[in-house]
């Protein structure tokens, strides 16, 4: 079988930073090309500056490095997207089309496209939101992810391109900082706790959202991409869940280990976004089709986060 050679877009972001390392461990550092709009600095493997909106530059890198898989992470997230909706739509959609068309034209075998719980809106079931649910998102980010999922499905059905996708919940990790999302508070809160500072949360105390610890998110991504093609029955995007909690609950989890930690609440425009999202997700399709099972609950994540950040 041909050696897998991987190109990642948006590799300098919250998930890309960690996923790049994991892919390099799995496939060899020299076989993973990390790209981003900005210079990624010295790394264990090759890097390149790439604007995912530039199809010629993308095709040149794919041909030069004989790329067989593209992980397309570059995107504008929910909170940043609401500040400039048309700009966010343009980046999220045009970059996806560049990746899909380049993959089709060059013979790339597999594409990974992360979607999000942002595809759901308030018409969807709030708890244990099913895999196949009404999708009426209220953010431009969510609209772009619904469209992206459908295009992933289209390229698979029409052209046979092996595109795979997960609807990540909010991802929490110690290795990198998040970039403009509504779930970012659940990363920031740990940094305040280890610094001994009071955290002001931009969501209300009782706003429950689905979340996933970074090691679980990375493992899910690799497991999905390595699963036999015939097991991947959902070609739009799989629901994926780890845990669900409110700001008050994550604060209480931290206080078990940092008793002096304090939180206060000042909800802003991100509250409306969170209110339109599910509180918990039914990921039974992922469990059945390719064996998904999360390892971390809230307290296990808190212990690991605090240990690493300290
Ligand atoms: P991030 O904002 O941390 O990183 C995105 C990266 O994309 C940045 O490094 C940025 O420089 C780069 N980028 C932006 N525009 C670009 C362009 N035109 N060309 C090339 N690079 C560009 O995002 P993340 O949290 O790492 O998310 C990665 C992917 O996962 C996104 O598609 C996001 O929608 C999805 N996702 C993330 C979460 C989460 O909680 N982090 C949840 C659901 C889905
Ligand atoms: C965001 O909050 O925008 C992301 C996501 C859940 O897609 N973290």
């Amino acid at each position: 079988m041909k050696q897998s050679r991987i190109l990642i877009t948006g590799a300098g972001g919250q998930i890309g930073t960690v996923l790049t390392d994991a892919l390099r461990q799995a496939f060899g550092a020299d076989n993973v090309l990390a790209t981003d709009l900005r210079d990624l600095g010295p790394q264990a493997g090759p890097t390149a500056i790439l604007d995912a909106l530039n199809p010629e530059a993308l095709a040149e890198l794919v041909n030069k490095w004989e790329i067989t898989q593209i992980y397309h992470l570059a995107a504008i997230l929910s909170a940043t997207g609401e500040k400039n909706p048309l700009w966010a739509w343009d980046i999220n959609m045009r970059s996806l089309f560049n990746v899909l068309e380049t993959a089709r034209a060059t013979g790339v075998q597999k594409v990974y496209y992360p979607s999000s719980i942002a595809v759901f809106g308030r018409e969807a079931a709030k708890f244990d939101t099913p895999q196949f649910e009404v999708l009426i998102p209220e953010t431009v980010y969510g609209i772009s992810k619904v469209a992206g999922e459908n295009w992933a499905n289209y390229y698979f059905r029409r052209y046979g391109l092996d595109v795979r996708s997960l609807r990540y919940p909010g991802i929490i990790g110690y290795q990198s900082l998040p970039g403009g999302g509504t779930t970012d508070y659940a990363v920031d809160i740990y940094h305040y706790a280890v610094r001994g500072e009071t955290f002001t949360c931009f969501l209300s105390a009782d706003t429950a959202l689905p979340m996933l610890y970074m090691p679980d998110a990375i493992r899910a991504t690799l497991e999905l991409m390595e699963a036999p093609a015939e097991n991947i029955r959902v070609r739009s995007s799989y629901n994926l869940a780890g845990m669900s909690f409110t700001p008050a609950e994550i604060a209480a989890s931290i206080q078990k280990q940092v008793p002096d930690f304090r939180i206060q609440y000042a909800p802003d425009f991100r509250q409306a976004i969170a209110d339109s999202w599910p509180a918990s997700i039914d990921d039974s399709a992922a469990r059945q089709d390719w064996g998904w099972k999360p390892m971390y609950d809230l307290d296990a994540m808190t212990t690991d986060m605090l240990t690493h950040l300290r």
Side-chain angles (χ1 to χ4, degrees):
M1 209 171 102
K2 199 172 168 187
Q3 166 70 52
S4 295
R5 289 173 70 89
I6 295 169
L7 183 150
I8 309 172
T9 72
Q14 186 203 4
I15 297 173
T17 307
V18 191
L19 186 60
T20 300
D21 286 346
L23 288 169
R24 284 185 172 146
Q25 275 181 21
F27 294 96
D30 291 342
N31 293 317
V32 178
L33 175 63
T35 76
D36 202 289
L37 262 187
R38 56 196 171 80
D39 188 350
L40 295 171
Q43 294 204 350
T47 65
I49 295 177
L50 171 68
D51 182 348
L53 300 181
N54 182 336
E56 291 82 20
L58 175 62
E60 197 179 316
L61 285 176
V62 166
N63 287 323
K64 178 177 167 194
W65 290 88
E66 298 180 356
I67 296 298
T68 62
Q69 300 187 23
I70 300 178
Y71 284 65
H72 176 44
L73 304 186
I76 304 302
L77 276 69
S78 59
T80 305
E82 289 313 284
K83 293 178 185 160
N84 196 340
L86 297 186
W87 167 78
W89 171 261
D90 182 52
I91 291 177
N92 290 0
M93 295 316 299
R94 203 145 52 89
S95 66
L96 175 62
F97 282 122
N98 284 343
V99 166
L100 293 173
E101 278 298 295
T102 302
R104 194 164 75 87
T106 56
V108 163
Q109 292 157 4
K110 279 187 198 169
V111 173
Y112 177 68
Y113 172 65
S115 184
S116 164
I117 54 161
V119 295
F120 299 112
R122 63 189 76 228
E123 284 79 6
K126 188 83 178 161
F127 297 95
D128 290 330
T129 311
Q131 173 67 50
F132 297 107
E133 176 60 303
V134 59
L135 301 178
I136 310 179
E138 296 180 18
T139 59
V140 65
Y141 173 66
I143 298 171
S144 75
K145 290 296 186 185
V146 172
E149 290 184 359
N150 280 296
W151 279 109
N153 186 57
Y154 182 90
Y155 270 71
F156 173 70
R157 309 270 172 219
R158 172 91 196 258
Y159 304 119
L161 183 63
D162 190 354
V163 193
R164 304 181 183 194
S165 177
L166 297 172
R167 289 174 179 155
Y168 289 138
I171 307 297
I172 298 159
Y174 58 84
Q175 301 95 327
S176 48
L177 289 170
T182 303
T183 58
D184 294 8
Y185 89 85
V187 179
D188 296 341
I189 193 170
Y190 287 108
H191 290 264
Y192 278 72
V194 294
R195 290 199 301 262
E197 294 172 17
T198 297
F199 179 66
T200 303
C201 186
F202 57 73
L203 299 181
S204 66
D206 58 352
T207 307
L209 287 172
M211 302 278 185
L212 186 64
Y213 195 34
M214 185 70 84
D216 275 339
I218 300 298
R219 187 170 51 79
T221 308
L222 267 57
E223 286 177 3
L224 172 80
M225 291 299 279
E226 287 307 300
E230 60 272 21
N231 290 16
I232 308 301
R233 292 185 306 155
V234 176
R235 284 295 177 169
S236 50
S237 189
Y238 278 100
N239 278 6
L240 190 73
M243 60 192 98
S244 286
F245 55 77
T246 65
E249 286 165 345
I250 190 174
S253 176
I254 292 171
Q255 281 160 347
K256 288 181 197 165
Q257 300 187 46
V258 187
D260 292 341
F261 175 64
R262 293 287 169 267
I263 185 168
Q264 60 194 18
Y265 300 95
D268 65 15
F269 73 100
R270 289 167 281 195
Q271 183 67 49
I273 299 176
D275 288 343
S276 73
W277 287 355
S280 61
I281 296 286
D282 172 1
D283 62 358
S284 49
R287 290 173 185 256
Q288 277 159 23
D289 289 1
W290 45 276
W292 163 241
K293 192 167 185 280
M295 309 257 285
Y296 286 86
D297 63 13
L298 175 56
D299 284 341
M301 175 177 77
T302 295
T303 300
D304 206 56
M305 282 293 287
L306 293 176
T307 303
H308 281 98
L309 289 179
R310 277 173 183 143

